[in-house]
Amino acid sequence: EDAKMVKTVVIDARAHMLGRLASIVAKQILLGYHVVVCRAEQLTLSGGLVRQKMKYERFLRKRMLTNPQHGPIHFRAPSRIFWRTVRGMVPHKTARGEAALERMKVFEGVPAPYDKVKRMVVPDALQPLRLQKGHKFCQLGDLSTSVGWKHQNTMKELEEKRKVKSTAFFEAKRRMIALRSKAIAQVEAGKA
């Protein structure tokens, strides 16, 4: 049971709805699972970009009058926006909630250790299955860029490089699996 709990679940957040994925992740980290969310910049929000930007700008105006450094911290990066969304679904002021948030990691793109790991999707949060046809939507990366995140172009370049490398890795892996199955078949034939 304990060994199962330590297992890290890596989720590819591309084309997932922000709130739906956040609620599922919040539940899992509270249950004791370690969750890593990759490609946060490709999360989806329902509603067009103009509407979402207006909502976010209303949020940016909420601050502490006498010392804004104390007040609500307004994250611009997609990974931090997702992290804050999950924090709102977790009792983060208790030891249990704090420990749960420690079990979650969120990244833009797919950083080094997780690019060679199988990444999951969450069908309950997928945009094609959850968002009604014809409804407007926008990507979290575009919203973040419009409110001050400066690294979208860098992330796109890094993702292109990663995709080329991962394609080469996958082809090599497929060749090795084919060779291995061929060798096993020869050994089986030799025994018979």
Side-chain angles (χ1 to χ4, degrees):
E1 184 66 25
D2 290 338
K4 193 175 90 175
M5 288 299 231
V6 173
K7 184 171 173 270
T8 302
V9 178
V10 183
I11 297 172
D12 186 351
R14 182 181 156 273
H16 284 68
M17 303 302 290
L18 173 75
R20 286 180 180 274
L21 183 63
S23 66
I24 290 162
V25 168
K27 186 63 180 172
Q28 294 309 307
I29 61 176
L30 282 168
L31 289 172
Y33 290 96
H34 290 255
V35 178
V36 176
V37 180
C38 299
R39 293 213 273 186
E41 76 280 4
Q42 293 187 27
L43 277 162
T44 303
L45 295 107
S46 57
L49 182 60
V50 174
R51 179 187 173 85
Q52 291 300 334
K53 191 176 177 207
M54 284 168 60
K55 274 173 67 176
Y56 206 83
E57 281 169 352
R58 284 199 294 275
F59 168 60
L60 290 178
R61 285 199 292 273
K62 290 175 173 59
R63 59 187 201 150
M64 185 176 180
L65 189 62
T66 53
N67 189 351
Q69 287 178 330
H70 289 183
I73 308 299
H74 311 103
F75 296 116
R76 272 34 175 228
S79 59
R80 299 303 282 169
I81 291 173
F82 181 79
W83 178 88
R84 196 179 201 276
T85 307
V86 173
R87 189 190 72 175
M89 301 177 181
V90 167
H92 65 98
K93 293 185 180 183
T94 65
R96 173 173 167 261
E98 202 176 326
L101 281 175
E102 289 292 317
R103 288 192 286 272
M104 180 183 69
K105 292 178 183 171
V106 191
F107 299 104
E108 288 96 14
V110 187
Y114 307 108
D115 56 353
K116 304 260 193 298
V117 176
K118 187 176 167 113
R119 295 181 289 280
M120 308 286 176
V121 295
V122 181
D124 285 347
L126 273 174
Q127 178 217 322
L129 304 178
R130 284 290 157 201
L131 190 69
Q132 289 186 332
K133 300 286 178 282
H135 282 217
K136 287 184 179 179
F137 63 90
C138 67
Q139 285 197 329
L140 185 56
D142 296 334
L143 174 65
S144 290
T145 302
S146 70
V147 294
W149 185 52
K150 297 180 177 69
H151 307 294
Q152 189 172 34
N153 292 334
T154 311
M155 284 312 307
K156 280 183 180 164
E157 286 170 26
L158 289 169
E159 277 294 285
E160 291 304 318
K161 285 182 190 171
R162 182 192 65 79
K163 283 175 185 171
V164 169
K165 278 167 68 176
S166 86
T167 305
F169 171 79
F170 181 69
E171 287 302 320
K173 185 178 174 184
R174 219 166 64 179
R175 281 197 299 274
M176 286 303 293
I177 289 169
L179 283 169
R180 188 165 190 271
S181 60
K182 189 175 171 185
I184 289 169
Q186 285 178 346
V187 169
E188 293 296 321
K191 283 182 183 175

